[in-house]
Amino acid sequence: MVETYAEALQFIHGRDRFKKKPTLDRMRQFMHILGDPQEKLSMIHVAGTNGKGSTVAFLRDMFMAEGQTVGTFTSPFITRFNERISTDGQPISDTDLVAMVNRIQPVVARLDEELAEEGPTEFEIDTALMFCYFASHPVDIVVVEVGLGGLYDSTNIITPAVSVITTIGMDHMKILGDTIPKIATQKAGIIKSGVPVVCGRLTADALAVMDQTASEKQTDVRALGRDFTVKNQPESGWGERFAYTWGDHRWRHLEIDLLGQYQIDNAATALTAFITYHQVRHLPLDIAEIREGLKHTAWPGRFERLNDEPLIAIDGAHNEPAMVEMAQLLRQHFAQQDITIILAVLADKQYDQMVKTLLHVRNVHIIVTQFQGPGKRAAATPQALEEAVASSKRVTIADNWPSALKTALGNISGDSLILLTGSLYFISEVRQYFTDSEK
């Protein structure tokens, strides 16, 4: 039995992250012993390479705008573990987390004994905590984000009202496969019989996998760019404005406070899932509430402003597809400003290509640095990042990100942008520093 919050975290983080053989059998057994709490919940399931967190946030805020209570399960956390299990945006309390750990700990001990080396993983425990918490602290709907992949993800024991797949890109290739169709097959693993599927902007080969899987499961896919569309309606200032069309739903001047075409895509994907959920549950829609929810959605670490003058922002872009989107955002919104990017990336990512992609933006200078990676995952060294683009004069090295920030602040003009990016774990560390400085 754990008595303190620190002991609860120690129990959670002390587990293996992966097992040699992927399976959902262990998770189903785990939940069955706990009374299958997931069966009591109404859910939307969200998978994808990038955009999951923002899509969850848009869904949360649209449901909240119409007066629903919303549970969310997301990963990773930005500041504290508790963020992963939240109600209406408020993280689970330390006391409730300790209580949930004490509820599942005896079951984990039992499974460890029965399964020997194949007991529950850290993420399976996270998922179990979430299911147990929302079953005992009821909400109207839970939006569940997939941890990794889809097919064998521990969240994939659920039957949601709607399944969502945001994007498909090259990431986690050692686990999910080394081609887009292979990765798409893993993500398509969340598609359930008779459950409608909403997809973001997918390539033709990825969408073909979704359509084929949905056909086998006797359901249908609503895809961005094919079935529902968006059109950017540019305006000055922070945020984006767009028009949305899906069948009879035709709305102009929808506003979001997040930057980037990919955030418009995420908002439209969330909106389509929101409408689909209302169709499945035979609930009325109110466009005023939808506008309100979209406009007020915020998601920490997604091109988030930490300071106005000078402009300092953080973004959790952590793979090559995200850097392509980032480069597009910088060209669209900051083409006339000097941009200094402080970049730190985990060593198991395509960091060489990520640096090259950012250097395609002509007004970018990059300071490569490092941070303390999570657990056993190391960050790429600044030297490795610099070697990726050895010929570039726009790349310099700093031993750590505080010294990189000091260098950047000493070299900028009034309307410059300093962006810290490359890893959600990295920007979590940066955000914590700025938050503590404000206290």
Side-chain angles (χ1 to χ4, degrees):
M1 181 171 179
V2 304
E3 295 183 357
T4 67
Y5 175 72
E7 289 173 348
L9 289 187
Q10 189 175 12
F11 167 73
I12 294 165
H13 296 318
R15 306 295 302 186
D16 291 337
R17 293 189 72 238
F18 298 107
K19 297 295 183 183
K20 291 180 181 178
K21 184 181 178 182
T23 178
L24 289 177
D25 293 342
R26 178 177 52 245
M27 190 65 194
R28 290 194 180 100
Q29 184 180 356
F30 192 2
M31 290 299 97
H32 188 64
I33 297 169
L34 287 164
D36 285 318
Q38 76 280 5
E39 300 295 338
K40 301 174 183 177
L41 308 176
S42 179
M43 291 175 277
I44 293 178
H45 204 189
V46 182
T49 302
N50 294 315
K52 296 188 295 293
S54 298
T55 301
V56 169
F58 284 122
L59 278 164
R60 176 198 66 201
D61 285 21
M62 283 188 284
F63 279 112
M64 286 177 62
E66 65 177 12
Q68 306 244 40
T69 54
V70 189
T72 52
F73 181 58
T74 56
S75 60
F77 60 91
I78 299 297
T79 305
R80 297 187 85 224
F81 175 87
N82 307 47
E83 298 163 23
R84 301 187 63 174
I85 302 169
S86 295
T87 301
D88 289 350
Q90 296 303 307
I92 183 175
S93 70
D94 293 358
T95 302
D96 284 334
L97 184 63
V98 169
M100 290 300 116
V101 166
N102 282 324
R103 180 177 171 189
I104 72 164
Q105 195 177 37
V107 180
V108 173
R110 171 179 162 180
L111 290 171
D112 283 345
E113 189 173 333
E114 291 179 7
L115 302 174
E117 303 262 321
E118 293 299 311
T121 65
E122 178 177 346
F123 192 74
E124 286 169 344
I125 286 171
D126 296 342
T127 307
L129 291 169
M130 178 268 295
F131 287 145
C132 289
Y133 178 71
F134 289 126
S136 58
H137 298 73
V139 292
D140 294 314
I141 182 169
V142 183
V143 187
V144 177
E145 179 185 326
V146 165
L148 176 63
L151 182 61
Y152 292 111
D153 188 79
S154 61
T155 63
N156 202 30
I157 62 168
I158 68 175
T159 301
V162 183
S163 299
V164 182
I165 298 161
T166 57
T167 59
I168 305 290
M170 302 297 280
D171 196 18
H172 300 294
M173 284 95 78
K174 290 181 180 178
I175 300 170
L176 303 180
D178 57 2
T179 67
I180 290 295
K182 286 180 182 177
I183 294 171
T185 299
Q186 290 290 321
K187 309 287 186 188
I190 73 164
I191 297 175
K192 303 294 192 306
S193 179
V195 175
V197 185
V198 176
C199 291
R201 198 176 296 279
L202 304 187
T203 57
D205 50 354
L207 184 54
V209 172
M210 301 305 154
D211 285 334
Q212 176 64 32
T213 307
S215 176
E216 293 167 0
K217 299 287 186 179
Q218 297 184 313
T219 187
D220 62 327
V221 173
R222 301 101 194 267
L224 175 57
R226 182 185 70 186
D227 305 301
F228 62 98
T229 60
V230 291
K231 184 178 181 182
N232 192 354
Q233 298 175 308
E235 62 171 10
S236 60
W238 196 272
E240 304 284 0
R241 179 183 289 184
F242 65 98
Y244 170 90
T245 302
W246 180 36
D248 294 334
H249 303 292
R250 297 171 179 269
W251 298 314
R252 292 171 54 80
H253 306 303
L254 297 172
E255 296 179 39
I256 57 174
D257 196 45
L258 301 176
L259 280 181
Q261 175 62 46
Y262 57 94
Q263 294 294 12
I264 294 177
D265 290 353
N266 293 335
T269 302
L271 177 51
T272 306
F274 182 80
I275 296 168
T276 302
Y277 181 88
H278 283 65
Q279 291 172 342
V280 169
R281 295 286 190 255
H282 306 290
L283 299 171
L285 284 170
D286 185 324
I287 181 56
E289 292 169 347
I290 288 171
R291 289 185 184 278
E292 182 77 8
L294 290 175
K295 188 174 182 178
H296 289 99
T297 297
W299 192 234
R302 276 59 173 190
F303 220 92
E304 179 186 7
R305 282 177 289 187
L306 298 184
N307 195 71
D308 287 320
E309 293 183 8
L311 180 57
I312 301 174
I314 55 174
D315 191 277
H318 57 280
N319 51 36
E320 169 58 12
M323 285 306 168
V324 172
E325 303 275 16
M326 176 61 66
Q328 181 184 352
L329 183 158
L330 294 174
R331 291 188 192 99
Q332 182 179 346
H333 288 276
F334 300 97
Q336 307 305 316
Q337 291 151 267
D338 290 328
I339 303 169
T340 300
I341 295 178
I342 299 172
L343 183 71
V345 185
L346 287 172
D348 57 6
K349 299 293 182 178
Q350 294 177 293
Y351 57 80
D352 51 346
Q353 190 57 47
M354 292 165 71
V355 179
K356 291 173 184 175
T357 296
L358 290 173
L359 284 173
H360 287 154
V361 183
R362 61 172 183 77
N363 52 329
V364 157
H365 173 83
I366 300 176
I367 305 176
V368 291
T369 188
Q370 60 189 338
F371 67 105
Q372 183 65 48
K376 297 177 182 178
R377 297 177 73 190
T381 65
Q383 291 74 21
L385 289 167
E386 188 187 43
E387 286 169 9
V389 283
S391 61
S392 177
K393 296 179 180 178
R394 289 189 284 141
V395 179
T396 54
I397 285 182
D399 290 336
N400 53 64
W401 73 261
S403 63
L405 182 58
K406 185 176 180 181
T407 299
L409 289 169
N411 294 333
I412 62 171
S413 57
D415 64 346
S416 298
L417 166 67
I418 297 174
L419 173 65
L420 298 97
T421 190
S423 166
L424 280 164
Y425 297 102
F426 168 47
I427 61 128
S428 171
E429 190 176 309
V430 175
R431 194 174 192 273
Q432 182 70 52
Y433 172 84
F434 274 82
T435 303
D436 289 347
S437 298
E438 293 171 359
K439 293 178 181 177

